[in-house]
Amino acid sequence: MNHKFFPVILAGGKGERFWPLSRLNRPKQFLCLDGTDRSLLQATADRLIALTDNWESLWVITSNQIAQGVKEQLPELPSQNLLIEPEGRDTAAAVAWASLEIKKRYGEDAIIGFFPADHWIANQETFAQTLDAACELAATTEAIVTLGIKPNFPSTGYGYIEQGEKMGSFHDLPAYHVNRFTEKPDRETAETFLSTGRFSWNSGMFIFRAGVVLKELETYAPEIVQPIAQKGVEIYPQLPKKSIDYALMEKTSLTYVLPVDFGWDDLGDWNAIERLLKTEDTANVELATHVGLDTQGAILYASDANEVIVTIGLEDIVIVRDRNVTLIVKKDRTQEIKQVLATIKSDPKFTELL
């Protein structure tokens, strides 16, 4: 990579749809979900360190509640590169604060990339080539570059990006002006999007120069960037809670998309495990000791290898056993785990389950 690049890992999420394995002090990004011994956070750091000079270039922004866990997971990360939010205010505040800090240290031409801590990437070489292209675009143009994942099915769980006019190619990758960002569509709309060939999934990964994004935040989200610039992190509890998509990306005219395909999953819920690990010759995805009779299409997980899950005649179900909780849910209803957690949070006797 020819440009000085500062990747920032967004590591403040809770990952509630992976409960009960994901809990308050052990969120999703601390979990090993792809069959390796590296957590999602560690795998993201490994992927990004390979593209930078050293650990000095990598930054992480996280919540106060799990900051100690981040330090334990990434002991090589310099302490001054770990930004700890006193409370979560969504991604717009995180992007603003990290960009201000990097600009302060490295100047307004520093190229920054923001990457969620819980993504899975299949092809590191293609990912690296993509970021080379994104950095070239960001370095030579007033651009806020987003990576759009080429969709291979009409997902209703992702936001979409519509590409407009082509503005050039960078490292053989075409770049397009963004026409619009859209929220998660219904299935019919998603099928229409795919049929046009103009839509990508919104990956939540962004690359830009520090000065460019801060100028745009001054224009479209001054209520976020100005208080942080003036008063620092102490002002955090008073900031509005907005996503970077809503606060900036849907408003600025400087957005460009690179439609890319390097094997990607945002690991949103337990069904992602099946997408990663299911093979044609296996009836189930088993990350547990499982004894089954006429069970197929199941996802089974146990955090204790000594525990045994026994099933009879089940289909398309998720079973997760972790410490003092057993979760059993149909695969097509895993999104509703958050609703159950809301009930659990409201009852003091269940506090230890969170």
Side-chain angles (χ1 to χ4, degrees):
M1 186 167 289
N2 298 325
H3 308 285
K4 190 66 174 174
F5 178 54
F6 301 94
V8 181
I9 301 176
L10 297 164
K14 298 175 183 177
E16 290 183 331
R17 285 171 293 182
F18 272 94
W19 183 86
L21 192 60
S22 177
R23 307 206 193 186
L24 288 177
N25 294 317
R26 189 187 61 189
K28 178 173 66 168
Q29 54 266 36
F30 291 178
L31 304 179
C32 304
L33 295 173
D34 62 356
T36 71
D37 61 356
R38 299 292 279 173
S39 73
L40 298 178
L41 174 61
Q42 290 169 329
T44 301
D46 293 344
R47 188 182 310 129
L48 295 170
I49 283 294
L51 308 177
T52 65
D53 294 338
N54 48 51
W55 280 91
E56 292 292 329
S57 299
L58 182 69
W59 293 61
V60 177
I61 186 162
T62 192
S63 67
N64 185 56
Q65 189 165 31
I66 62 171
Q68 184 56 41
V70 171
K71 293 175 185 177
E72 292 169 2
Q73 290 247 320
L74 303 177
E76 305 94 334
L77 183 73
S79 58
Q80 66 270 24
N81 288 15
L82 178 62
L83 302 181
I84 302 172
E85 298 176 301
E87 62 179 73
R89 306 309 291 164
D90 216 323
T91 51
V95 168
W97 185 26
S99 298
L100 283 164
E101 292 298 322
I102 292 173
K103 178 189 174 185
K104 195 182 302 180
R105 198 182 303 180
Y106 297 104
E108 64 179 19
D109 287 331
I111 298 176
I112 309 172
F114 282 86
F115 304 89
D118 54 1
H119 287 184
W120 173 83
I121 304 292
N123 191 318
Q124 172 69 24
E125 183 178 352
T126 304
F127 179 72
Q129 292 169 351
T130 298
L131 286 186
D132 273 341
C135 286
E136 182 69 26
L137 173 53
T140 57
T141 308
E142 283 210 336
I144 296 176
V145 186
T146 182
L147 305 186
I149 307 299
K150 292 180 179 177
N152 50 22
F153 67 95
S155 171
T156 59
Y158 299 140
Y160 284 73
I161 303 168
E162 183 182 19
Q163 66 195 42
E165 181 183 357
K166 182 178 178 181
M167 60 83 63
S169 292
F170 298 82
H171 293 271
D172 297 323
L173 279 179
Y176 301 87
H177 288 277
V178 170
N179 267 0
R180 60 173 169 144
F181 290 83
T182 69
E183 297 300 319
K184 300 172 183 177
D186 58 32
R187 185 169 183 87
E188 183 178 354
T189 303
E191 289 174 347
T192 300
F193 286 172
L194 260 65
S195 69
T196 69
R198 297 195 310 271
F199 285 82
S200 304
W201 289 334
N202 185 356
S203 72
M205 292 182 272
F206 309 105
I207 299 93
F208 37 65
R209 275 180 280 152
V212 172
V213 76
L214 290 171
K215 183 184 72 172
E216 292 299 280
L217 284 168
E218 282 280 356
T219 300
Y220 297 105
E223 73 281 7
I224 294 174
V225 70
Q226 288 180 5
I228 301 175
Q230 294 164 6
K231 299 183 179 180
V233 69
E234 291 76 16
I235 201 67
Y236 239 76
Q238 299 176 41
L239 296 176
K241 195 171 186 179
K242 293 182 180 179
S243 70
I244 191 64
D245 281 354
Y246 178 76
L248 178 62
M249 301 301 288
E250 294 176 4
K251 300 172 181 175
T252 176
S253 61
L254 301 184
T255 47
Y256 298 83
V257 60
L258 294 176
V260 297
D261 186 9
F262 38 60
W264 172 89
D265 201 298
D266 77 338
L267 302 181
D269 64 16
W270 282 105
N271 288 300
I273 302 302
E274 183 173 68
R275 293 195 295 270
L276 294 191
L277 302 179
K278 182 76 166 65
T279 60
E280 291 183 2
D281 57 351
T282 57
N284 307 295
V285 174
E286 300 180 3
L287 297 172
T289 303
H290 174 228
V291 178
L293 176 64
D294 295 332
T295 292
Q296 61 182 358
I299 301 167
L300 306 114
Y301 186 102
S303 55
D304 185 342
N306 294 316
E307 293 192 345
V308 180
I309 296 175
V310 180
T311 64
I312 300 173
L314 297 181
E315 188 172 349
D316 295 334
I317 200 164
V318 178
I319 301 176
V320 181
R321 175 68 183 159
D322 181 64
R323 290 179 281 177
N324 52 349
V325 177
T326 301
L327 168 72
I328 304 171
V329 58
K330 292 178 68 174
K331 280 161 49 175
D332 62 359
R333 298 190 66 177
T334 54
Q335 298 287 324
E336 297 172 50
I337 291 173
K338 295 179 77 169
Q339 296 177 32
V340 175
L341 272 177
T343 301
I344 289 173
K345 290 175 184 177
S346 67
D347 193 329
K349 73 173 178 285
F350 290 141
T351 300
E352 66 178 39
L353 305 184
L354 298 173

